[in-house]
Amino acid sequence: MIKITVVAPANIAFIKYWGKRSEKFRIPLNDSISMNLSGAATTTTVEFSSAFEKDDITFSGETISEKEIERITTHLDRVRRIAHKKIYARVVTKNSFPKGTGIASSASGFAALTVAATQAIDLRLSEKAVTILARIGSGSACRSIPDGFSWWHAGKKSSDSYAESFVPSTWWDIRDILCVVSTEAKKISSTEGMENIRTSPYWQERILGIPEKIGRVQQAIKERNINTLGSIIEEDAISMHCVMMTQKPPLFYWNDTTLRVMEGVYALRAKGFPAYFTIDAGPNVHIICRSEEEQIIVEEMKRINGVQSIIVNEPCLGAHSISSHLF
Ligand code: PMV
């Protein structure tokens, strides 16, 4: 059978997904909105063959745990079931950034795996169907498949919980300046952490406010209005972290450098530069700004004690195949 290699970007959520209606099918409690990140990608090569006696999964340059291998083989089983084929696969994966640090490696990883595996086993699925399948592997992975800016419709059942692009990557040349403040794997994964959402006294409040924010964020992106977009995404990130911090047990993902970067963003705004932060399930901070301000913001952030590295991202294409393979 043919060998397929797919590159998929990580994505940054502007309106966050935190909490599920169904754990088994990863159906979220709320819609979410994201942008694909050009500087943080996973490349995955998949080949199925009747000559293989089991799945062979490797990460180039990184170790992989038994738990991760199991999650990947379970996902390959879903692909095999849909294709009605009982053949094993060889899978080789490479990340352009460290795993498990809140840079959404599971999003790019499961997006690349799903697109590569479905094509390698010769399944002809629509983009919508592929996003549904990727979502079952890792929720936010569905948003890394469409082009540019994605809208994940929460839906009520598996078949209507999918992602689509609402504007392409070429729509708006903004930046996500990712300040890496830690490369340690996080202790509590987002999957585990969000299982406890209902123990926070604020979760329903947050979910109730989301439909209105989804509309406002889309409008801000369509109008290319950085100040409106920035203020909504900052508010949503803080709201999600409030829920996390008030869960039982409390979930604190920030560290001291996270707070220093947030203060640095406020200081930039006080000087008149439109810069806004957002933070996923980890300590690293994403700063959203226009391309005009990229240089000045990067320079300011380099000066902050504890910032280990900076990755500058632009909106980019979703998961797509390439012709050079990893094996
Ligand atoms: O899909 P997961 O399990 O990687 O969860 C993603 C959760 C957040 O990154 C915190 C928010 C989001 O919408 O990406």
Side-chain angles (χ1 to χ4, degrees):
M1 298 200 71
I2 51 165
K3 195 186 279 185
I4 299 282
T5 300
V6 168
V7 180
N11 67 75
I12 180 64
F14 288 166
I15 300 296
K16 312 283 188 192
Y17 143 59
W18 190 255
K20 298 186 199 78
R21 175 190 290 273
S22 154
E23 295 293 334
K24 187 169 173 221
F25 294 105
R26 290 184 201 270
I27 300 173
L29 285 166
N30 62 277
D31 286 19
S32 54
I33 298 281
S34 65
M35 180 183 104
N36 290 336
L37 302 177
S38 62
T42 299
T43 304
T44 297
T45 301
V46 178
E47 182 177 30
F48 285 93
S49 167
S50 48
F52 300 154
E53 285 170 6
K54 62 179 181 52
D55 290 326
D56 178 14
I57 295 151
T58 46
F59 264 70
S60 95
E62 283 186 277
T63 51
I64 177 167
S65 67
E66 280 304 314
K67 214 168 139 189
E68 285 172 308
I69 291 184
E70 198 189 305
R71 199 166 158 195
I72 294 168
T73 47
T74 305
H75 201 57
L76 291 171
D77 287 341
R78 294 184 187 110
V79 173
R80 285 186 274 259
R81 226 171 8 249
I82 301 174
H84 303 290
K85 287 184 184 146
K86 284 192 174 154
I87 43 175
Y88 292 107
R90 179 162 180 216
V91 178
V92 177
T93 286
K94 190 177 81 182
N95 280 336
S96 69
F97 57 93
K99 279 195 283 147
T101 53
I103 315 180
S105 61
S106 68
S108 54
F110 276 87
L113 177 70
T114 309
V115 176
T118 50
Q119 289 183 11
I121 210 163
D122 206 21
L123 269 173
R124 312 274 158 99
L125 301 178
S126 65
E127 182 182 272
K128 177 177 173 181
V130 180
T131 71
I132 291 171
L133 188 54
R135 185 207 79 230
I136 301 171
S138 173
S140 55
C142 67
R143 297 189 312 234
S144 286
I145 293 172
D147 179 17
F149 297 81
S150 294
W151 178 6
W152 175 7
H153 302 268
K156 290 208 163 49
K157 53 184 191 318
S158 191
S159 58
D160 53 33
S161 186
Y162 70 99
E164 63 176 344
S165 169
F166 67 93
V167 287
S169 46
T170 50
W171 176 253
W172 193 13
D173 188 26
I174 54 172
R175 297 288 179 270
D176 170 306
I177 298 175
L178 170 54
C179 300
V180 180
V181 306
S182 166
T183 51
E184 263 173 51
K186 57 192 169 206
K187 288 182 188 75
I188 311 283
S189 68
S190 40
T191 301
E192 247 179 289
M194 70 175 82
E195 277 171 19
N196 293 331
I197 183 179
R198 291 172 184 80
T199 61
S200 163
Y202 307 118
W203 77 273
Q204 279 164 310
E205 199 67 27
R206 170 174 160 72
I207 300 297
L208 280 175
I210 291 211
E212 193 246 331
K213 282 196 233 170
I214 293 275
R216 278 165 58 214
V217 150
Q218 288 188 329
Q219 194 59 25
I221 293 173
K222 286 186 182 148
E223 289 169 2
R224 303 189 180 97
N225 186 330
I226 192 74
N227 289 311
T228 310
L229 173 70
S231 52
I232 309 166
I233 67 176
E234 231 178 63
E235 183 191 314
D236 189 63
I238 295 172
S239 141
M240 177 185 73
H241 283 271
C242 273
V243 169
M244 291 166 159
M245 289 174 190
T246 49
Q247 288 184 188
K248 289 163 197 67
L251 209 50
F252 283 87
Y253 282 117
W254 302 351
N255 67 22
D256 53 339
T257 314
T258 310
L259 287 162
R260 276 198 295 278
V261 174
M262 289 159 79
E263 275 167 18
V265 170
Y266 290 140
L268 278 162
R269 279 222 294 282
K271 285 190 225 157
F273 297 110
Y276 295 86
F277 63 78
T278 182
I279 307 165
D280 276 347
N284 300 316
V285 186
H286 297 250
I287 303 175
I288 307 299
C289 64
R290 300 181 301 190
S291 56
E292 296 97 289
E293 276 81 33
E294 174 190 326
Q295 238 13 67
I296 177 99
I297 296 173
V298 168
E299 288 312 314
E300 286 293 313
M301 292 304 133
K302 274 188 191 158
R303 275 202 272 276
I304 295 181
N305 184 22
V307 172
Q308 297 180 5
S309 60
I310 293 174
I311 302 171
V312 178
N313 299 285
E314 300 169 12
C316 67
L317 284 180
H320 59 279
S321 54
I322 56 168
S323 52
S324 66
H325 302 300
L326 296 178
F327 62 88

